[in-house]
């Protein structure tokens, strides 16, 4: 079956990157809150990826476009500065190591000035790879991986089908850092629902402390129609926390986490309020800011529902 190019879903920090698809879908398609739930993982043939890299090089070095190459390739290349590549899709790091090695070697060969390759990864993808393999990928410029941690609470992780527990999240994070790869993680406010809110926030602060990533981002749960969690909510089996309660969770996470040096942000469009800063250096300022918003309880201070995005 021919590989179908996935739509572009990427972290905000990869906006200037070239998007190179290696897979489509996600290998851990069981997360009940995620749009990738039930998606079929497809792997692209290495030869096909190499052809795309050839086309990239031909265009970037000689301005030549080939009629057989999809337009999207040239649309992205037009504004590409040749520095960063983001591997698609939901967890491109599931691509088997020998193939990943080959693709990344080829990218480096064709673009020697490449600065960084980035990818989404599930904790399982990282645990499956050897430390020596991750180090090899680092040498081939895999500079950053983006991992959805979602929660540090085992009960929440189990309920939402994350497929890993707290300790495995820590193991995957630690391994990534040992390989010298920068780690950017996301957690989801509200994922424990009303009943599990406090435990979710505290355990998430604990898992963040133990992983100690360079970047951490908070998102706010947004129910996606068609996912199992959306159905649970519709049937009254899952209750969404309020906007202000999501800020309480955020404050608990900022207050109780202990990082060596982490850029923490809730700038994502799904959040009701944006706060960001370096932790631990700016912890007091960030906590104070959240306390003020919580004390005022003024909905005008929050991002309106219609402006929230996934
Ligand atoms: S591992 Fe990530 S991308 Fe895959 S289904 Fe879960 S949340 Fe979605």
């Amino acid at each position: 079956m021919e590989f179908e190019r996935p739509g572009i879903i990427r972290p905000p920090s990869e906006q200037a990157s070239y998007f190179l698809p290696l897979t489509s879908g996600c290998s851990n398609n069981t997360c009940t809150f995620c749009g990738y739930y039930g998606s079929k993982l497809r792997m692209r043939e290495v030869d096909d990826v190499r052809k795309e890299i050839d086309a990239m090089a031909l265009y970037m070095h000689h301005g030549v476009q080939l009629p057989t190459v999809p337009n999207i390739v040239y649309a992205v290349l037009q504004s590409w500065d040749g520095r960063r590549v983001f591997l698609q899709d939901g967890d491109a790091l599931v691509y088997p190591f020998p193939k990943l090695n080959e693709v990344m070697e080829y990218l480096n060969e064709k673009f020697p000035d490449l600065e960084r390759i980035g990818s989404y990864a599930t904790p399982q993808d990282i645990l499956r790879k050897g430390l020596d393999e991750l180090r090899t990928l680092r040498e081939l410029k895999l500079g950053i991986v983006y991992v959805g941690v979602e929660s540090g609470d085992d009960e929440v992780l189990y309920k939402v089908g994350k497929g890993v527990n707290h300790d495995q999240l820590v193991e995957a994070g630690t391994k990534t850092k040992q390989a010298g790869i920068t780690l950017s993680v996301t957690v989801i406010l509200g994922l424990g629902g009303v009943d599990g809110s406090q435990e979710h926030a505290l355990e998430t602060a604990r898992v963040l402390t133990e992983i100690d990533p360079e970047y951490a981002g908070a998102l706010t749960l947004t129910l996606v129609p068609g996912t199992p969690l959306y159905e649970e909510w519709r049937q009254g089996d899952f209750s969404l926390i309020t906007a202000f309660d999501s800020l309480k969770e955020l404050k608990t996470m900022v207050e109780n986490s202990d990082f060596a040096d982490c850029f923490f942000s809730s700038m994502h469009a799904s959040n009701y309020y944006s706060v960001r800063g370096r932790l631990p250096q700016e912890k007091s300022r960030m906590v104070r800011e959240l306390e003020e918003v919580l004390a005022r309880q003024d909905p005008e201070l929050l991002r309106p529902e219609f402006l929230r995005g996934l």
Side-chain angles (χ1 to χ4, degrees), residues 15 25 71 118 136 150 158 179 181 194 293:
Q15 66 187 37
N71 290 339
T136 302
E150 336 300 8
Y158 178 74
I181 300 168
V194 170
V293 180

Side-chain angles (χ1 to χ4, degrees), residues 26-31 33-37 90 122 148 150 162:
C26 168
S27 66
N28 182 60
N29 59 5
T30 55
C31 301
F33 57 88
C34 179
Y36 279 99
Y37 179 87
T122 64
E150 336 300 8
K162 189 68 193 168

Side-chain angles (χ1 to χ4, degrees), residues 99-147:
K99 293 184 177 189
L100 205 46
N101 194 54
E102 182 177 340
V103 163
M104 287 174 59
E105 270 182 355
Y106 200 51
L107 262 178
N108 277 278
E109 184 188 317
K110 293 286 179 182
F111 298 98
D113 294 334
L114 204 62
E115 285 174 1
R116 185 178 91 176
I117 298 172
S119 173
Y120 282 129
T122 64
Q124 292 90 324
D125 297 336
I126 296 164
L127 293 174
R128 224 177 279 125
K129 291 202 160 43
L131 184 56
D132 52 338
E133 292 177 337
L134 290 175
R135 285 192 171 129
T136 302
L137 298 177
R138 175 67 196 100
E139 278 163 23
L140 292 170
K141 299 188 185 161
L142 180 65
I144 187 164
V145 294
Y146 303 88
V147 178

Side-chain angles (χ1 to χ4, degrees), residues 77-227:
L77 284 176
Q78 258 175 23
S79 54
W80 190 47
D81 62 7
R83 288 170 205 267
R84 291 184 175 186
V85 169
F86 182 70
L87 306 174
Q88 288 183 275
D89 191 24
D91 68 327
L93 223 67
V94 73
Y95 213 53
F97 174 76
K99 293 184 177 189
L100 205 46
N101 194 54
E102 182 177 340
V103 163
M104 287 174 59
E105 270 182 355
Y106 200 51
L107 262 178
N108 277 278
E109 184 188 317
K110 293 286 179 182
F111 298 98
D113 294 334
L114 204 62
E115 285 174 1
R116 185 178 91 176
I117 298 172
S119 173
Y120 282 129
T122 64
Q124 292 90 324
D125 297 336
I126 296 164
L127 293 174
R128 224 177 279 125
K129 291 202 160 43
L131 184 56
D132 52 338
E133 292 177 337
L134 290 175
R135 285 192 171 129
T136 302
L137 298 177
R138 175 67 196 100
E139 278 163 23
L140 292 170
K141 299 188 185 161
L142 180 65
I144 187 164
V145 294
Y146 303 88
V147 178
V149 159
E150 336 300 8
S151 175
D153 184 357
D154 277 341
E155 200 177 318
V156 175
L157 289 166
Y158 178 74
K159 274 192 190 155
V160 301
K162 189 68 193 168
V164 280
N165 61 24
H166 179 113
D167 292 346
Q168 288 167 311
L169 286 169
V170 176
E171 194 185 333
T174 308
K175 197 168 171 184
T176 307
K177 288 179 17 184
Q178 278 173 350
I181 300 168
T182 298
L183 182 60
S184 178
V185 305
T186 45
V187 298
I188 304 181
L189 306 174
L191 198 59
V194 170
D195 296 340
S197 179
Q198 171 78 349
E199 198 59 17
H200 165 59
L202 284 170
E203 282 297 280
T204 302
R206 189 166 74 86
V207 86
L208 287 174
T209 300
E210 290 170 15
I211 295 174
D212 196 17
E214 287 91 343
Y215 298 94
L219 320 177
T220 300
L221 178 64
T222 307
L223 293 172
V224 181
T227 57

Side-chain angles (χ1 to χ4, degrees), residues 44-59:
R44 193 177 182 188
E45 294 295 334
V46 172
D47 279 351
D48 197 22
V49 182
R50 288 176 74 105
K51 274 185 203 148
E52 181 161 332
I53 298 171
D54 285 336
M56 289 164 68
L58 202 57
Y59 179 82

